Amino acid sequence: MILRVLLLLTLVVLAPLAQASERFIVVQSTTSTENSGLYGWLLPQFTAESGIEVRVVAVGTGQALRNARNGDGDVLIVHARAAEDAFVADGHGVKRHDLMVNDFVIVGPGADPVGLGESPGATAALKRIADTGAKFVSRGDDSGTHKKELALWRAAGLDPTGDGGEWYRESGSGMGATLNIAIGMDAHTLTDRATWVSFGNKGDHAILVEGDPALQNPYGVILVNPEVHPGVRASDGQIFIDWLLSPTGQAAIAAFRVNGQQLFFPSAR
Amino acid sequence: MGDAIAEAFRLIAVGDAALWEIVSLSLRVSLTAVALACLIGLPLGALLAIARFPGRGALIVATNSLMGLPPVLAGLLVYLLLSRAGPLGPLELLYTPTAMIIAQTVLVTPIIVALSRQVIADMHQEYDEQLRSMGITTMGAVLTLLYDARLSLLTVALAGFGRAAAEVGAVMMVGGNINHVTRVMTTTIALETSKGNLAIAVGLGLVLMLIALTVNGALMALRGTQGVARHV
Amino acid sequence: MSDALVTSGRRTLTPARGPDSVLPVAMDGVGYTIDGVTLLDDVSLRIRPGRLTAIMGANGAGKTLCLRLIQGLLQPTVGTLSHASGPVTLTGRRRIATVFQRPVLLRRSVAGNLRHALKTYRVPRAERAAMLTDLLDLAELRALAHRSARVLSSGEQQRLSIVRALAADPDLLLLDEPTANLDPYATRMIETLIRQAEARGVTVVLVTHDVGQARRLADDVVFLNRGRVTEQTPAGSFFDEPQTAEAAAYLAGRLLL
Ligand SMILES: Nc1ncnc2c1ncn2[C@@H]1O[C@H](COP(=O)(O)OP(=O)(O)OP(=O)(O)O)[C@@H](O)[C@H]1O
Ligand SMILES: [Mg+2]
């Protein structure tokens, strides 16, 4: 009796899953673009024009690149220039295109107790954090933002991961989780502006450092190489990339607003 | 917390389509996984309880330990299996609900095996001599015990459902939390948390609890109508 | 053929079954030892078709152990146990049914227990429904068919256990103290049931401490004393002139140590 109920249940539940899917592609993406709501704005426009559904897997840039190296995904949208170039050079991607930029900011307690606001730039601000031992939370997850943060520390001539300072913490999580931790600990952290602006749990935290050219955050888009990964839906993926880089796609990116603020700036050439 | 409760009520009251989509996918995935895990796990558990064969002890220790299998690890194993670079890549199952069902089945089956083995072993102690005197086959004994232990086994299935419905690591990894395709309650909670929308996240958590309550209640009711409870 | 029609002083028993019957069952020099303790020693006995054998003896004498051996649940450590139909097989085991001292009823209804037994005993599907009503009537449990077996009174449970064993349509029925906890009326009902079983051609082995019951029902008596058979005689002579001091003491309600 129970067995029969279970069998029936299995059939009922599995039946809808057996439906064949229409045209779709899988995009491996960094989280900032998804969490800011950009895809919720862009993708319906693309799907309406092309009839192609876009399924976004939003993970850290590092994991997105690793998944794509396994051929899991058709298009890659990330922000870690060096890793992107290596991905293409290793044959996993067809070509990297500039897609858009936004910028990173350093956020911290709104009262700015260590006076980051007065520092002339990002590296100077990081030096000041290290010197005063003010708390800092790092992504620590090999994401694009994490890679950027490590590059900034290097530029400042510091290696906080090595000296094991009490003030430097690695969350090992995504941007949102890291922001939650930083706010809970009253600590500083590096975040992309898009995630910050659309973040719902800001507490007393505010942007303390911004506008330094070193904080530029360029996003690239890459078609996963169908010659290396035969399952890749290359033609539909290319249609998506072409659309993103077209005047229509670029205009759509520029038109995206959160709280009236533009978060991404088109950069296709 | 007040915000969260208000949010939970708003979500339910509005009955918003997005919420319904997520809830129904959660239920579909977790219930299917539990059903499959029972189909595999109950006979296995019963067999482990009554059959004597070399390696049985090791198998029991193994399933008991696998109850603690971290969801992320189960997810990773299934990911490696279903990835285009993996052995089952050509099936194109990664980032589909089917992949999530597989991962949760992997996660839940050890629970079903280990707990049902214990339940059946206790009952077998009592039934063994009677059944053997009737010249029953091993298969017959398995079916008899599974049927007579149905009340306790329902609780075992519920424990499995609890684990499936509550886990996020495995479905996140093999499902990808794709909007409208593989987004379930737990991955939505994780996503909303990462967006800093804590009230929505907790609200969804409350809805999840409500669903667990409903599923438990429904099974209790089923139990009642079957008159199972009367047979002590 | 001499076994086929047996006459006792009180009644005529039905003929034994066909050539594939497990009866007679013979134990020859059977011993059973566990953990170095010998529980049964050099037990030899015959169970003949159509004759009700009562096994008697003090608590711990080894009566239940004997039934387990006959049912095939245990293997003799030494000696041989054989069925008329040949060596003990699984199908052969289904020709023998036991009602244990503490019968285990399944967590199902009365009818559910019987249905399970009919299925387990490989009764053809088409015959099951008719046999079910027949067995329910035999046990006078028809009104309780849908009640949970585990909430029945001891007497009802005992009756159910007996007809469940009869679902096997066995050659041999082993009853281990079936009336130990029952009132006189319930005891009568069980005894009637035993007679009805015999009328259907079932041979019964009955373990009992109830001397009156053994006098009423038994054709042969096997007396066990601390794992050994001290007497195997027709019932009349056992009760009137027990051959051994142990049996005499047991019947007199004394215990010889
Ligand atoms: N599995 C076993 N391991 C060890 N000893 C056992 C085992 N089974 C039975 N015995 C012992 O064998 C002896 C005979 O047991 P048995 O159950 O046959 O007694 P009995 O004659 O049926 O007694 P009663 O009238 O009390 O039912 C007892 O002393 C019992 O303790
Ligand atoms: Mg006994």
Side-chain angles (χ1 to χ4, degrees), chain B residues 120-139:
Chain B
I120 300 283
D122 290 347
M123 188 170 281
H124 181 241
Q125 186 109 321
E126 186 191 349
Y127 280 22
D128 182 37
E129 189 165 66
Q130 176 67 46
L131 293 181
R132 277 198 300 135
S133 82
M134 298 169 87
I136 204 165
T137 56
T138 303
M139 188 61 188

Side-chain angles (χ1 to χ4, degrees), chain C residues 34 39 57-66 68 101 176-177 209:
Chain C
I34 190 166
L39 300 174
N59 289 134
K63 305 180 295 296
T64 297
L65 220 46
C66 259
R68 287 207 184 101
Q101 207 161 346
D176 199 350
E177 302 188 34
H209 291 296

Side-chain angles (χ1 to χ4, degrees), chain B residues 1-11 198-204 206:
Chain B
M1 198 62 199
D3 283 1
I5 293 171
E7 185 61 34
F9 275 112
R10 195 192 62 76
L11 286 169
L198 302 191
I200 297 183
V202 178
L204 283 167
L206 291 175

Side-chain angles (χ1 to χ4, degrees), chain B residues 123 126-127 129-137 140 143-145 147-150 228 230-232, chain C residues 68 71 73 90 93-94 96 100 104-109 116-117 120-122 146 148 150-151 164:
Chain B
M123 188 170 281
E126 186 191 349
Y127 280 22
E129 189 165 66
Q130 176 67 46
L131 293 181
R132 277 198 300 135
S133 82
M134 298 169 87
I136 204 165
T137 56
L143 291 175
T144 303
L145 288 164
Y147 185 79
D148 273 40
R150 60 204 178 279
V228 180
R230 286 185 292 117
H231 297 298
V232 198
Chain C
R68 287 207 184 101
Q71 174 70 71
L73 296 173
L90 189 69
R93 202 193 281 176
R94 290 197 198 109
I96 305 176
F100 291 95
V104 175
L105 292 169
L106 304 188
R107 287 165 173 75
R108 313 176 184 208
S109 66
H116 175 265
T120 306
Y121 287 129
R122 300 282 191 280
H146 301 294
S148 169
R150 295 198 156 221
V151 304
R164 175 175 64 175

